[in-house]
Amino acid sequence: MGIFSKFIAKIKGENAFAPSDWQDLERELLASDIGPTLTQSLLDSAHKVKSENAQEALKATLTSYLSTQSRAPITNPEGMTVVMVVGVNGTGKTTSVAKLASNIKSSGSAVVVAAGDTFRAAAVEQLQTWGSRIDVEVVSGKPNGDPASVAFDAVKRAAQSQAQYLIIDTAGRLHNKSDLMAELEKVKRVVEKVAPVSEVLLTIDATTGQNGMAQAKLFAESVSVTGIILTKLDGSARGGIALAIESELNIPIKWVGTGESEADFAVFNASEYIEGLLA
Amino acid sequence: MFDSLSARFSSAFSSLRSRGKISAADLDATYAEIRQALLESDVALEVVETFIAQVTEKSTQVLSTIQSGSNQASAIFDVVNSSLVEILGGSARRVRFSKNPPTVIMLAGLQGAGKTTLAGKLAKFYADQGNTPLLVAADLQRPNAVTQLQVVGESINIPVFAPEAGNGIGNPVKTAKAGVEFAKAKQYNMVIVDTAGRLGIDAELMKEASDIRDAVKPDEILFVVDAMIGQDAVRTSQAFLNGVGFDGVVLTKLDGDARGGAALSIASLTKRPIMFASTGEKLSDFDIFYPERMASRILGMGDVATLAEQAKKAFDSDKSAKLEAKFASGEDFTLEDFLDQLSAMSKMGSMSKLMGMLPGGGQMKQLTKGANFDESEIVRTKAIIQSMTPRERQEPKVLNGSRRARIALGAGLKVSDVNNLVDRFSAAQKMMRQIRNGGVPAGMAGMGMPAMAPKPANIPPKKKSKSGNPAKRALEESQ
């Protein structure tokens, strides 16, 4: 039984909770990475809760911080759906691109992926290995080539092969590097000359702390992020920063990555996530 | 939410400094502020609490002996600073070289922490000091991790031992062992073993890592951790400490805007020193970790030591010496010299990165809305100077209207941009002459960064514009 459940059990019974219980609860909430601000706000709510359904009440409070945006994938009704996957280095973009492609393919749609990470050594090969593993076409350019031109060519290639989806992988970049963010904006702009970008997915590593907020904010400003892929949720990290992002920036988590195989990928489930935060 | 740790510290201390005498309530408020700041930068709660308790105790002792408020404030600042340095690892420790080469360094960490890139950086760092490192590709898990290490090795001319193609095939323990044997036979004096990223809670993979450790008997196991990691740093570092063990920590992606938190938690809980810091995309963006510098950076005192070092690297010492000699001999500072300086400055990194290292830079960043400096201003200024002929760069006086129009065309900018630069430059030149002649310049405006220079509208015209003023005429012609 998690510390949170223990705490709830105490509220349910005698209301006999000591200051040390509150400290334990604070510790537990902070440990989930939701951040000190949300933690304080939750503690305030917890102080007001009296009743049998304390656990439900707190879950409801947490749930109320979630984004109100739809979590359904955005598609292009008039033609090929173009999805860009963006994020900081090492958050799992390439793996997520492969998983997403595999997911779309198994639902019966034709999908092509573009190896737009021309910067990191062997990133293109990494995606190609994935491509042959999941049997999806990978369009690539030259190493250190212009990522915008790879993406542009990929749109044409995908259209030729009558794909319904094109997923563009991009190089990892730190959100505070304005030149790299400008490059990303250019990729999107160039693609949009030939096809609208329906969805921009940002990978957030579940182990990320409060910096995840800055990442989401700056990527959203640059390329209008439409959803989050919360990666590496299979570890001991609970990914609480995503809740803070949902609450503050109203960007919905759409997908969750939980492992190294293409099957370790699922649509975001709000109640599982919230329960995980309190585990 | 976005307040950086250093900004919060700065504000906490500046409110202290403005007090005549510090009351217990002032202190409590300051500690509360520090607590919040540390939590927001992902320091684990238990570490925060220990830290605050430690600092409170020490500063209470110190304060009783000091009377004036401002001295008290600086005493508390010293206590906080020295406590930070202490937790962050005292003084930086170097890698222990084995008496019987090769020295074996093993890397371990979570997926995406940056191990493979770091392996390359570490190899370059030691090769530059005259060592002969060998990289061993023992990450046989992640698709094309082996290829990535090979590409990295090739780019820095470091050999890579990679008998297995990877992608899930091959035995990492055997590969690592064979790599060390190979290094021994070929007399490399250092081996850096890259391993697969793994979760702290994955017992099977953790066992594999400890098997690699037992097979290669590393002199140093380095735990590679992303500076952006949150509260999980506690569990993960503990799991790696128990599972594989490590002797030192490497913080990666420190060029991001997350800083401090994880370092403080890990160093404090595992008692292992942070040895290296990785600070950029280039393989040379890597250095020994300096606890004092990190503490200063956290406290908003800026990282002047690093800045000075970067400047030394970026500014060609020959050129600097020439410039100094030129200045001393009474020659004028020319646009050519200015161009050299601009190029050197861009080599040092982005303005916003440099700003973060300056004392009070954190607050200055906030003043400018945390926004980037207009980095493109440097690019534009360089474009203008590069569009000039050598003579024009030496003698800006010859810049008449048609020359200015040609330069503007060449740089892809407006004539008014060229005029701005020339005006600012002559103001700076004039000021430098004054300095040389022992005079104190009237105002420092005009010198320094182009982006920070005042708009020309703020500069009073030096002379009444004569008819045929080239700047004016070129402007008129261009309209």
Side-chain angles (χ1 to χ4, degrees), chain B residues 112-190:
Chain B
K115 282 177 299 302
T116 306
T117 305
L118 184 93
K121 289 183 173 186
L122 203 57
K124 182 176 165 26
F125 181 80
Y126 281 107
D128 286 349
Q129 296 178 4
N131 296 288
T132 51
L134 173 75
L135 287 164
V136 174
D139 177 358
L140 306 178
Q141 197 84 18
R142 181 162 61 85
N144 291 84
V146 174
T147 325
Q148 185 185 348
L149 192 65
Q150 281 168 328
V151 175
V152 165
E154 204 173 301
S155 71
I156 48 175
N157 263 323
I158 306 277
V160 178
F161 182 80
E164 301 281 1
N167 299 344
I169 302 159
N171 181 334
V173 181
K174 278 185 189 157
T175 302
K177 198 170 165 60
V180 175
E181 298 297 331
F182 180 83
K184 243 178 233 166
K186 302 279 175 186
Q187 303 200 320
Y188 290 97
N189 81 338
M190 180 177 259

Side-chain angles (χ1 to χ4, degrees), chain B residues 187-205:
Chain B
Q187 303 200 320
Y188 290 97
N189 81 338
M190 180 177 259
V191 181
I192 297 166
V193 184
D194 183 26
T195 67
R198 62 203 76 229
L199 293 167
I201 53 174
D202 189 331
E204 195 185 324
L205 276 172

Side-chain angles (χ1 to χ4, degrees), chain A residues 30 33 89 119-122 125-126 129 174-178 207 209-211 215 217 232 234 236 260, chain B residues 2 35 40 42 111-112 142-144 148 199 201 228 230-232 235 253 255-258 281 372:
Chain A
L30 284 171
D33 283 321
N89 318 55
F119 182 81
R120 180 166 63 86
E125 288 86 344
Q126 184 182 347
T129 303
L174 286 169
H175 49 285
N176 58 343
K177 302 216 163 161
S178 49
T207 59
Q210 299 309 300
N211 190 248
Q215 294 173 18
K217 186 160 189 277
K232 309 186 199 172
D234 49 331
S236 46
E260 289 176 70
Chain B
F2 289 100
R35 180 181 192 271
E40 270 172 20
D42 299 315
Q111 287 115 333
R142 181 162 61 85
N144 291 84
Q148 185 185 348
L199 293 167
I201 53 174
M228 291 178 277
Q231 299 284 334
D232 195 48
R235 265 163 299 188
K253 304 180 206 172
D255 49 330
D257 51 5
E281 307 237 348
N372 307 307

Side-chain angles (χ1 to χ4, degrees), chain A residues 32-33 86-93 96 202-213 215-216 228-243 245 255 257 273, chain B residues 110-114 199 225-232 236 253:
Chain A
S32 75
D33 283 321
V86 302
V88 165
N89 318 55
T91 48
K93 279 174 302 304
S96 296
L202 171 72
T203 49
I204 293 279
D205 186 328
T207 59
T208 304
Q210 299 309 300
N211 190 248
M213 181 66 79
Q215 294 173 18
I228 285 167
I229 306 177
L230 188 56
T231 64
K232 309 186 199 172
L233 207 53
D234 49 331
S236 46
R238 300 179 218 161
I241 189 59
L243 182 68
I245 294 171
W255 301 93
Y273 172 71
Chain B
L110 292 174
Q111 287 115 333
L199 293 167
V225 63
D226 186 326
M228 291 178 277
I229 193 171
Q231 299 284 334
D232 195 48
T236 297
K253 304 180 206 172

Side-chain angles (χ1 to χ4, degrees), chain B residues 98 100-108 134-138 161 171-184 190-195 207-222 244-245 247:
Chain B
S98 167
N100 309 307
T103 298
V104 180
I105 300 176
M106 173 179 165
L107 305 179
L134 173 75
L135 287 164
V136 174
F161 182 80
N171 181 334
V173 181
K174 278 185 189 157
T175 302
K177 198 170 165 60
V180 175
E181 298 297 331
F182 180 83
K184 243 178 233 166
M190 180 177 259
V191 181
I192 297 166
V193 184
D194 183 26
T195 67
K207 168 89 172 46
E208 181 195 279
S210 62
D211 287 347
I212 296 178
R213 175 198 66 201
D214 295 343
V216 303
K217 304 209 167 36
D219 299 282
E220 294 274 2
I221 302 175
L222 298 181
V244 217
D247 311 292

Side-chain angles (χ1 to χ4, degrees), chain A residues 29-257:
Chain A
L29 288 169
L30 284 171
S32 75
D33 283 321
I34 61 171
T37 314
L38 265 191
T39 297
Q40 197 48 54
S41 141
L42 262 158
L43 286 175
D44 292 345
S45 311
H47 272 286
K48 284 179 207 139
V49 170
K50 296 181 194 101
S51 77
E52 288 291 302
N53 56 4
Q55 183 157 13
E56 286 310 310
L58 283 170
K59 240 196 251 174
T61 312
L62 271 173
T63 308
S64 72
Y65 288 109
L66 287 170
S67 160
T68 50
Q69 297 276 335
S70 159
R71 293 171 198 279
I74 306 171
T75 54
N76 175 10
E78 282 155 22
M80 185 170 65
T81 297
V82 178
V83 180
M84 271 176 79
V85 179
V86 302
V88 165
N89 318 55
T91 48
K93 279 174 302 304
T94 304
T95 308
S96 296
V97 165
K99 287 175 171 180
L100 183 61
S102 168
N103 184 289
I104 291 172
K105 186 171 179 264
S106 61
S107 70
S109 299
V111 56
V112 167
V113 302
D117 182 356
T118 55
F119 182 81
R120 180 166 63 86
V124 172
E125 288 86 344
Q126 184 182 347
L127 195 57
Q128 279 164 342
T129 303
W130 269 113
S132 56
R133 202 182 278 179
I134 59 173
D135 191 22
V136 162
E137 185 184 350
V138 178
V139 183
S140 59
K142 287 190 213 86
N144 294 317
D146 178 14
S149 90
V150 173
F152 185 84
D153 291 345
V155 177
K156 289 193 177 160
R157 180 77 199 92
Q160 264 171 25
S161 59
Q162 300 196 314
Q164 286 138 301
Y165 282 87
L166 169 67
I167 308 172
I168 303 172
D169 188 17
T170 61
R173 64 202 76 226
L174 286 169
H175 49 285
N176 58 343
K177 302 216 163 161
S178 49
D179 48 342
L180 295 179
M181 294 307 280
E183 179 195 85
L184 190 64
E185 288 161 27
K186 183 183 161 196
V187 172
K188 191 180 179 205
R189 220 168 38 234
V190 167
V191 167
E192 290 200 312
K193 284 185 182 163
V194 276
V197 173
S198 304
E199 184 121 78
V200 179
L201 296 174
L202 171 72
T203 49
I204 293 279
D205 186 328
T207 59
T208 304
Q210 299 309 300
N211 190 248
M213 181 66 79
Q215 294 173 18
K217 186 160 189 277
L218 293 180
F219 272 100
E221 275 170 14
S222 246
V223 287
S224 313
V225 173
T226 59
I228 285 167
I229 306 177
L230 188 56
T231 64
K232 309 186 199 172
L233 207 53
D234 49 331
S236 46
R238 300 179 218 161
I241 189 59
L243 182 68
I245 294 171
E246 289 230 351
S247 151
E248 181 140 335
L249 304 175
N250 202 17
I251 302 173
I253 309 170
K254 292 195 170 175
W255 301 93
V256 172

